[in-house]
Amino acid sequence: MSRSTAAFDNAAGDFAELSKAIGNLIRYKLPNASREPRKMLVQDIHRRLDAAQCTLNDMQNEVDKADLSTRPKLSYRLREFQAELAELKRSFTAEDDSHRYGTDSPPGTADTTRRQVLSNQGATERSRAALNRTEQIAVETENLGTEINTELGNQREKLTRTRDVLDDTDNTLNTSRRTLLNMGRRAVTNRVALIAIIVLEVGILGAVLYWKFAT
């Protein structure tokens, strides 16, 4: 497991705890809270939502640092967490709006309005989130394909350069081989010439000695 994946998993655990706590506050405590406790709950939820958003930002940083093989999986998980946080924010806004709207309504009207608002907004936003996730997956798949094509192009250029280097090396070896052959031929030619000169000199010396002693 890479360091980015481990850090992402740790942040995901923190986000899960925050999300669960925020959901419980919105669903169970906030609807039944009186005025002053409700204000404190609203402030607490705002703080927790901000903390959850900061955690998602940290997760995005880890996704950006991840390698190509793990980035799509981490990106998909991050989008799910982002959709989860968006749903919590919408539920919180709907609950707060329905509370203000139903303050002066007859008994039961506020609860009915709240349920209708939450149901309608939840269905609409889930559909929108699904469409957004599909679009993001398509875009990231396209980007991944582009990155892979670029990497393959770079590898092909490296292989081409390597082949050129090998060709140059082969040409250099052939040139060196021909040079060595030529040097060998010259050495043999020089040796034969030297032997011929020595033989000629010996013959001349012998002729001179013969002429000197014969006369």
Side-chain angles (χ1 to χ4, degrees):
M1 178 182 298
S2 65
R3 296 178 60 183
S4 295
T5 303
F8 185 94
D9 290 338
N10 291 334
D14 295 338
F15 177 81
E17 293 180 1
L18 284 169
S19 177
K20 182 178 180 181
I22 294 170
N24 289 336
L25 290 175
I26 294 173
R27 285 190 293 270
Y28 303 120
K29 291 190 175 182
L30 191 60
N32 301 319
S34 56
R35 186 170 184 177
E36 290 302 323
R38 183 182 180 87
K39 289 182 179 179
M40 297 179 62
L41 277 174
V42 168
Q43 293 176 355
D44 186 24
I45 292 173
H46 276 299
R47 285 194 297 269
R48 292 174 187 265
L49 287 172
D50 290 340
Q53 184 61 57
C54 290
T55 303
L56 291 184
N57 293 339
D58 293 338
M59 295 165 72
Q60 181 64 62
N61 291 334
E62 299 303 327
V63 171
D64 294 338
K65 293 187 292 185
D67 53 38
L68 291 178
S69 61
T70 58
R71 188 179 301 170
K73 180 179 179 181
L74 297 182
S75 296
Y76 180 78
R77 292 177 60 191
L78 177 60
R79 287 193 301 270
E80 290 184 334
F81 293 139
Q82 289 171 339
E84 183 177 345
L85 180 60
E87 183 65 26
L88 288 173
K89 290 180 178 179
R90 286 188 291 269
S91 298
F92 175 54
T93 301
E95 167 62 32
D96 196 38
D97 290 345
S98 63
H99 174 76
R100 287 197 294 266
Y101 177 79
T103 300
D104 298 326
S105 301
T109 302
D111 291 338
T112 301
T113 303
R114 183 183 300 114
R115 285 193 297 268
Q116 289 176 347
V117 171
L118 291 175
S119 177
N120 293 336
Q121 286 192 351
T124 301
E125 295 303 333
R126 281 192 297 271
S127 299
R128 183 181 303 171
L131 290 174
N132 290 336
R133 286 196 298 271
T134 302
E135 182 180 357
Q136 290 175 351
I137 290 173
V139 171
E140 291 190 356
T141 301
E142 181 179 359
N143 292 336
L144 180 61
T146 301
E147 291 178 358
I148 291 175
N149 286 333
T150 302
E151 183 65 23
L152 290 175
N154 293 334
Q155 293 296 330
R156 182 173 58 188
E157 291 178 358
K158 291 179 181 178
L159 290 175
T160 301
R161 288 194 296 270
T162 302
R163 184 182 61 187
D164 293 339
V165 170
L166 290 176
D167 290 340
D168 292 339
T169 302
D170 186 57
N171 292 333
T172 302
L173 290 175
N174 290 333
T175 302
S176 300
R177 189 181 297 113
R178 287 193 297 270
T179 301
L180 290 174
L181 288 174
N182 292 331
M183 292 175 63
R185 292 192 189 98
R186 292 195 191 97
V188 171
T189 302
N190 293 336
R191 184 174 301 175
V192 171
L194 179 62
I195 292 174
I197 292 172
I198 292 173
V199 170
L200 181 60
E201 288 180 350
V202 170
I204 293 172
L205 179 60
V208 170
L209 291 176
Y210 176 78
W211 178 77
K212 181 177 181 181
F213 287 106
T215 58

